[in-house]
Amino acid sequence: MSGTSQQSSPQTDLAWLHRGTSEIFPDQPDSKSADDNLTQRLLQSQRPLRIKLGIDPTGADIHLGHSIPVRKLRSFQDAGHTAVLIIGDFTARIGDPTGKSEVRKQLTEADVAANAKTYLDQVRPILDFDTPGRLEIRYNSEWLAKLDLNKILELLSTMTVGQMLAKEGFAERYEKGNPVYIHEFLYPLMQGYDSVAVEADVELGGTDQKFNIAVGRDLQRHFGLQPQFGLLLPILLGTDGTQKMSKSLGNYVALTEDPLTMYSKLEKTPDSLLNQYFELLTDLPLSELPENPRDRQKLLALNIVSQYHGEGAAKQAQTDAAGLVKGNTTQADSVPEFSLAGIQFPVKLFYLVSASGLCKSSSDARRQIQGGAVRLDGNKVAQVDLTFETIADLQGRVLQLGKNKFVRFVD
């Protein structure tokens, strides 16, 4: 991965396998059998193992929480195995019901195609796309769209309603009288059938995916294949330090964010999260981290931004972030630009805060200004209706919202 150390350990050194791993199943650590001990499967296999990771393109952006299983997939690549990245263009139309208190909105084929288009570009800095035999990219519509009713009935016959209702989320919704639709029962079976179609040896997923991965094992056994191992990874807490990282909660760091925004968010990572972020989001030796929490924050931010934007951009972001804190906006080269060409003057500041993408709406922008969260060239702005007559009044100036959102105005 760009900006991180490559896995170069020999096949017998499996420290990378357990770093940040929550659970491997089945797991009998004292067994020498490759059927119930993944370490033995890795050591005894005479071929590269096929490591499956499925991603449903239900949105346009991937954040750092999503990157965790992708990073583990890269570790398997570096150990000589084949990454099988499945873009769930078919399953995304249903949406994974895991952890949902109500039925998910079904996406159209066009919605899914638009989302999937960006996914590969976003994971490119993480995975090895270049070494022959190290990456297969598959779309599960390749086999799921061809299932006839006979095959669907066969899949349905492998599970009972009781087993499905034991799945977290389904049982809770059922007990509360919230509807559970029959098509939602198909999701774990379709994800499981993906493992059959690609003959996976290992499937990666978050800790919330254990049920779905176990279904894959059952289906592989049903179709006469050797059952896969499941490797579960933690669900990343967001930058607020309390809830899981989520775009809807605003506590996320997107892989597509500009270097300055990414750096500014990460250098404020709560102390309680630093160890987890280093373990899950970097390859840095955990025994060699700085003792000072502030130094840890800076190192974390610099390392992660380097992975996605390169070391030069990361160092520039670090310099600019420090300068912006002191009100130095003129030399902050990494501030993302916002063109004023489409803005009709005279214009009020609250409108610019919204139009530039710093806020979701003009009403939110008004609230942010009233709350003292908006600065122009480092100076707090208190006037909600502050008006600018011409582009020249704003050319080159930096608008800031909070501690980690910036834009520079250009014509």
Side-chain angles (χ1 to χ4, degrees):
M1 283 168 277
S2 174
T4 65
S5 59
Q6 299 293 315
Q7 298 284 357
S8 56
S9 303
Q11 177 69 6
T12 53
D13 180 3
L14 298 178
W16 59 268
L17 177 65
H18 299 283
R19 176 165 174 153
T21 296
S22 293
E23 181 183 356
I24 296 172
F25 68 94
D27 182 29
Q28 296 184 27
D30 296 329
S31 173
K32 297 299 182 182
S33 170
D35 292 332
D36 48 35
N37 184 328
L38 180 55
T39 297
Q40 293 303 317
R41 176 77 65 86
L42 290 165
L43 295 176
Q44 295 176 25
S45 179
Q46 299 301 306
R47 61 171 176 82
L49 298 187
R50 296 175 59 75
I51 317 300
K52 170 195 170 189
L53 174 63
I55 303 177
D56 280 353
T58 52
D61 295 325
I62 298 175
H63 57 59
L64 287 177
H66 300 130
S67 78
I68 292 172
V70 184
R71 286 178 50 80
K72 184 64 74 172
L73 192 61
R74 174 58 187 265
S75 296
F76 274 99
Q77 283 185 304
D78 289 339
H81 301 287
T82 301
V84 183
L85 181 65
I86 297 178
I87 304 297
D89 60 330
F90 194 94
T91 44
R93 298 179 210 170
I94 295 178
D96 188 353
T98 300
K100 301 300 177 183
S101 59
E102 57 187 28
V103 64
R104 296 186 69 149
K105 176 185 175 183
Q106 288 187 256
L107 300 178
T108 67
E109 190 171 348
D111 291 333
V112 173
N115 293 336
K117 190 174 181 181
T118 68
Y119 270 40
L120 292 178
D121 287 338
Q122 292 178 69
V123 301
R124 191 171 291 275
I126 306 175
L127 294 177
D128 179 359
F129 277 71
D130 301 320
T131 305
R134 289 288 176 259
L135 178 63
E136 287 182 19
I137 299 169
R138 308 286 293 273
Y139 293 80
N140 63 12
S141 60
E142 174 188 337
W143 48 86
L144 293 179
K146 298 175 183 177
L147 293 180
D148 59 20
L149 186 56
N150 285 331
K151 183 64 72 171
I152 293 171
L153 288 173
E154 181 179 2
L155 291 178
L156 290 172
S157 71
T158 64
M159 294 196 72
T160 67
V161 172
Q163 287 175 305
M164 279 293 185
L165 287 178
K167 177 176 168 61
E168 182 183 357
F170 282 161
E172 182 180 349
R173 285 161 58 186
Y174 186 74
E175 289 170 3
K176 290 182 177 179
N178 295 333
V180 180
Y181 292 89
I182 298 299
H183 78 273
E184 295 182 274
F185 282 0
L186 278 171
Y187 186 93
L189 291 166
M190 289 193 297
Q191 181 176 323
Y193 192 72
D194 289 348
S195 296
V196 174
V198 301
E199 299 185 2
D201 294 297
V202 181
E203 180 171 0
L204 310 181
T207 50
D208 59 349
Q209 292 296 308
K210 186 170 184 177
F211 182 94
N212 294 346
I213 295 174
V215 170
R217 283 176 49 80
D218 291 341
L219 288 179
Q220 285 178 313
R221 192 179 293 111
H222 173 81
F223 286 101
L225 300 175
Q226 187 173 32
Q228 66 188 7
F229 282 86
L231 191 153
L232 305 181
L233 298 148
I235 305 299
L236 191 69
L237 287 178
T239 53
D240 58 357
T242 56
Q243 300 186 77
K244 78 173 187 176
M245 186 171 285
S246 167
K247 190 171 184 178
S248 62
L249 296 174
N251 62 353
Y252 71 102
V253 180
L255 304 193
T256 56
E257 287 182 329
D258 64 273
L260 180 59
T261 300
M262 184 179 279
Y263 182 91
S264 298
K265 287 182 178 182
L266 288 167
E267 74 159 350
K268 298 175 181 65
T269 302
D271 293 351
S272 60
L273 293 184
L274 285 173
N275 286 345
Q276 185 192 45
Y277 274 35
F278 272 113
E279 182 175 19
L280 298 175
L281 302 174
T282 82
D283 292 332
L284 295 172
L286 302 181
S287 61
E288 300 176 12
L289 300 177
E291 292 186 10
N292 183 283
R294 184 61 185 141
D295 291 339
R296 285 191 176 204
Q297 289 174 316
K298 292 180 179 179
L299 176 61
L300 177 74
L302 188 66
N303 183 277
I304 293 177
V305 177
S306 294
Q307 293 178 41
Y308 298 100
H309 297 288
E311 186 176 356
K315 288 183 176 178
Q316 184 64 55
Q318 184 176 60
T319 299
D320 291 347
L324 288 167
V325 169
K326 299 175 182 178
N328 181 4
T329 61
T330 58
Q331 297 180 355
D333 295 335
S334 63
V335 175
E337 295 180 343
F338 175 72
S339 174
L340 296 168
I343 300 296
Q344 185 174 352
F345 284 82
V347 64
K348 294 185 182 297
L349 180 64
F350 73 81
Y351 176 79
L352 288 172
V353 175
S354 173
S356 64
L358 298 184
C359 278
K360 295 181 179 179
S361 65
S362 292
S363 58
D364 185 25
R366 284 179 174 273
R367 287 192 294 270
Q368 295 291 350
I369 294 172
Q370 291 170 340
V374 176
R375 294 176 180 268
L376 190 61
D377 284 343
N379 300 312
K380 188 178 295 186
V381 179
Q383 298 171 257
V384 173
D385 292 322
L386 181 63
T387 302
F388 300 92
E389 299 296 330
T390 68
I391 285 182
D393 295 334
L394 291 169
Q395 176 69 27
R397 302 180 74 178
V398 172
L399 182 65
Q400 177 180 348
L401 174 64
K403 296 180 179 180
N404 50 40
K405 292 184 177 181
F406 310 87
V407 292
R408 185 187 300 281
F409 292 123
V410 297
D411 58 18

